[in-house]
Amino acid sequence: MTKRIALSSDHAAIDLRQAVAKHIAAKDYEVVDIGPTSPESTHYPIHGKAAADLVANGECDLGIILCGTGQGIMMAANKVDGIRCGVCSDTFSAAMIRQHNNANMLSIGARVVGEGVALEIVDAFLDADFEGGRHATRVDMIEG
Ligand code: RB5
């Protein structure tokens, strides 16, 4: 089944978010891009929570969020129950947060990585699957 991917960012990552949207739409993912589109300065917690809510309530399967560093928007997303989001600047970590941590959201820093690397990070995240087993025990411990 086609996976639905929630996308959001703050003002610092609009161009990269739009590049990610185009990249994954071409791979047959359904993209739910909730903006923003204006380059005006905005507040990353609003956008992190909005995308996280879509994943937590099941409207989207996974989420990809971006801000300048990826850190602030990740912190906001992780405040939503059921969200496990990691910031990645490399493809190994992006695959591992799916395989071992069952991350349902990925965060990227648009001021940290260039577009080429960012798109490879997105692919690594989306192509990987949770391995379950001993990792499920540990993820359950995070959820409490
Ligand atoms: C915005 O200037 C910047 O603080 C934000 O994009 C992000 O890096 C926060 O974590």
Side-chain angles (χ1 to χ4, degrees), residues 10-13 41-42 44 66-73 111:
D10 72 357
H11 56 281
S41 183
T42 181
Y44 58 81
L66 310 93
C67 66
T69 58
Q71 301 290 350
I73 202 163
R111 294 173 179 161

Side-chain angles (χ1 to χ4, degrees), residues 5 76 85:
I5 313 296
C85 181

Side-chain angles (χ1 to χ4, degrees), residues 107-131:
S107 183
I108 299 176
R111 294 173 179 161
V112 180
V113 295
E115 183 178 312
V117 172
L119 298 182
E120 288 186 6
I121 289 168
V122 165
D123 287 344
F125 177 75
L126 294 177
D127 289 347
D129 289 312
F130 183 46
E131 292 175 359

Side-chain angles (χ1 to χ4, degrees), residues 10-55:
D10 72 357
H11 56 281
I14 291 177
D15 289 349
L16 184 55
R17 191 193 77 238
Q18 289 172 342
V20 169
K22 191 171 164 198
H23 180 72
I24 64 177
K27 295 190 163 219
D28 288 336
Y29 288 97
E30 191 179 331
V31 180
V32 181
D33 185 350
I34 56 172
T37 51
S38 156
E40 264 174 55
S41 183
T42 181
H43 306 297
Y44 58 81
I46 298 169
H47 307 289
K49 181 181 184 325
D53 283 342
L54 290 176
V55 175

